[in-house]
Amino acid sequence: MASDSDELEEQLRENLKLRRELGAEVAKAASRRAGMAYRLGRVLYLACFGLAVLCVAVWIGRLFTDFAPMPILLQLLAFGLPALLFYGLGRAFRYVLSGE
């Protein structure tokens, strides 16, 4: 009876050891995946932010070299709105992919 108890205890210890190793591997894989998603979110955020800055730069350039005057409301719709949309889209990418 004592040998059965010892064998069971040894098997339980082996099982716990395997579970710890598996848990460590799963944590490492999850960490690697989360890091990739964070980097992707950062790249997409920077790309959208760059597009937003480009929209604003074109808008400002158009104000200083006004070949064909446009009403201010039309300028806001043509340049300001896309800039805000690009910035918001970039923030959404970063928020979702960073897991915050």
Side-chain angles (χ1 to χ4, degrees):
M1 186 76 172
S3 65
D4 289 340
S5 175
D6 290 339
E7 288 177 22
L8 181 60
E9 186 177 339
E10 183 62 36
Q11 287 178 352
L12 285 173
R13 286 179 201 249
E14 184 67 28
N15 189 352
L16 285 175
K17 180 182 172 188
L18 290 173
R19 283 180 181 227
R20 277 190 222 114
E21 290 173 3
L22 181 62
E25 287 181 28
V26 168
K28 188 191 309 183
S31 172
R32 190 177 317 126
R33 183 173 180 215
M36 293 271 297
Y38 180 77
R39 285 190 293 272
L40 176 64
R42 197 166 171 175
V43 167
L44 290 173
Y45 168 71
L46 289 174
C48 288
F49 186 75
L51 289 172
V53 168
L54 181 66
C55 285
V56 170
V58 169
W59 188 10
I60 290 173
R62 182 161 172 72
L63 289 176
F64 288 119
T65 60
D66 198 355
F67 294 115
M70 290 174 69
I72 191 71
L73 182 60
L74 189 57
Q75 288 181 21
L76 282 172
L77 288 174
F79 301 107
L81 186 62
L84 286 175
L85 289 175
F86 280 130
Y87 180 72
L89 183 64
R91 292 295 298 178
F93 278 138
R94 188 167 181 193
Y95 177 77
V96 169
L97 292 175
S98 70
E100 294 177 353

